[in-house]
Amino acid sequence: MSQEIENWAQRVCAGKCGRCRGRLLAIENHQTEAEELLRLLFPRTGKAYLTGVTGAPGTGKSTLVDRLSAHYRAKQEQLG
């Protein structure tokens, strides 16, 4: 197991996920290194809600997700 992936998983679980984009893209793109990260994170899930946002290109999906994230962060709720 990669020490880098293990350290990153620990930071995520501690809520210190600062610049997550690269890892999230690896997961979305089904890259090999993402499997290791998911194996570490999945056992610690179970209380999370998953929300999907779909729509045609240009309909504001990213804007909606950004605004929802800002709303929940303002309420000091955790986002994963």
Side-chain angles (χ1 to χ4, degrees), residues 1-14 23 33 36-41 44:
M1 178 174 306
S2 163
Q3 186 64 40
E4 178 186 356
I5 299 291
E6 191 171 328
N7 290 340
W8 194 83
Q10 289 173 357
R11 287 194 307 269
V12 169
C13 292
R23 297 291 184 216
E33 64 270 17
E36 187 177 347
L37 176 60
L38 291 173
R39 271 195 290 280
L40 291 170
L41 294 176
R44 299 174 183 201

Side-chain angles (χ1 to χ4, degrees), residues 7-73:
N7 290 340
W8 194 83
Q10 289 173 357
R11 287 194 307 269
V12 169
C13 292
K16 299 177 182 176
C17 185
R19 306 177 67 196
C20 294
R21 185 175 181 191
R23 297 291 184 216
L24 293 175
L25 287 173
I27 292 168
E28 287 178 359
N29 294 326
H30 305 285
Q31 294 177 357
T32 306
E33 64 270 17
E35 291 179 27
E36 187 177 347
L37 176 60
L38 291 173
R39 271 195 290 280
L40 291 170
L41 294 176
F42 275 159
R44 299 174 183 201
T45 62
K47 296 180 182 180
Y49 292 98
L50 176 66
T51 302
V53 179
T54 64
T59 57
K61 298 177 297 292
S62 294
T63 301
L64 173 63
V65 170
D66 288 343
R67 299 244 170 101
L68 285 171
S69 297
H71 171 77
Y72 286 111
R73 285 192 177 114

